[in-house]
Amino acid sequence: MVRLVIVLLLGFLLSFGKEAVFVQTEYKKPFKVVFEIYLDHPEKMRPAIGWISNVIFVLTNPPYNFSLEDIDIVVVSHGREIPIFLKENRDRYQDIVERIEGLTHYGVKFKVCRMALTQLYGATEKDLHPFVETVPSAIVEVAHWQMMGYSLIIPMVFEIRR
């Protein structure tokens, strides 16, 4: 027991005053990502969009300086965030819609699960903003992009409770 206390104390003393080390990872081109978005509330799309924006920001700035042609991002949506993509809700979610539309100018492709769109919301392609595509099934679509070499990212957006 005394030895354990001495070892722990020695370990603490040796690490005192040190700090974490920044590692500049060397990312490879092309950088291919598929984001699976399956949220339980439309408002949670704001932080999820932040995840997507972060990838673009980090890779297009120093020291990486990737061109947009070197970044390929596909977003597949099939949760309760789908109302954001409906034209009728543009005013309600205006800031989110504008951010999504802005991301399409960076080459980000947004795809909505047609099964969820029709079964949960009774909507079709004509009800969606023109910068969105539909796909037969989100699950099959995500698997497809993974098979094409895209890395899967699933944003986890939690409520902050204080």
Side-chain angles (χ1 to χ4, degrees):
M1 179 69 155
V2 172
R3 282 187 191 177
L4 177 61
V5 171
I6 292 171
V7 169
L8 291 174
L9 183 58
L10 185 60
F12 172 76
L13 291 174
L14 290 174
S15 66
F16 187 75
K18 293 186 177 186
E19 51 189 50
V21 176
F22 179 74
V23 177
Q24 193 70 56
T25 306
E26 188 174 322
Y27 300 123
K28 302 293 181 197
K29 298 176 186 179
F31 200 87
K32 303 186 305 184
V33 177
V34 58
F35 282 88
E36 180 184 2
I37 307 292
Y38 186 75
L39 304 170
D40 64 352
H41 194 280
E43 296 291 335
K44 291 186 177 180
M45 192 66 170
R46 279 186 191 89
I49 291 169
W51 289 47
I52 301 163
S53 298
N54 184 285
V55 170
I56 295 168
F57 178 80
V58 168
L59 294 177
T60 57
N61 283 286
Y64 301 109
N65 298 317
F66 281 29
S67 69
L68 292 177
E69 291 77 30
D70 293 324
I71 304 168
D72 197 357
I73 299 175
V74 177
V75 179
V76 181
S77 168
H78 62 115
R80 299 288 178 193
E81 71 284 349
I82 289 177
I84 290 168
F85 298 104
L86 297 172
K87 291 178 192 174
E88 68 185 36
N89 294 324
R90 182 174 186 95
D91 291 341
R92 184 173 183 187
Y93 301 111
Q94 182 177 352
D95 65 311
I96 301 172
V97 172
E98 288 174 358
R99 288 182 65 196
I100 291 170
E101 190 170 18
L103 286 170
T104 65
H105 297 295
Y106 288 93
V108 179
K109 295 175 253 349
F110 285 86
K111 299 173 183 290
V112 171
C113 175
R114 191 167 198 273
M115 286 196 320
L117 179 68
T118 58
Q119 293 173 8
L120 297 176
Y121 299 98
T124 65
E125 288 80 3
K126 69 176 174 38
D127 301 309
L128 297 172
H129 293 290
F131 52 83
V132 181
E133 298 176 338
T134 61
V135 294
S137 163
I139 300 305
V140 175
E141 191 73 13
V142 168
H144 161 75
W145 290 104
Q146 286 184 281
M147 290 168 40
M148 299 299 289
Y150 287 64
S151 296
L152 174 63
I153 298 177
I154 304 172
M156 306 298 285
V157 180
F158 300 100
E159 290 180 42
I160 298 173
R161 298 177 191 203
R162 298 178 199 259

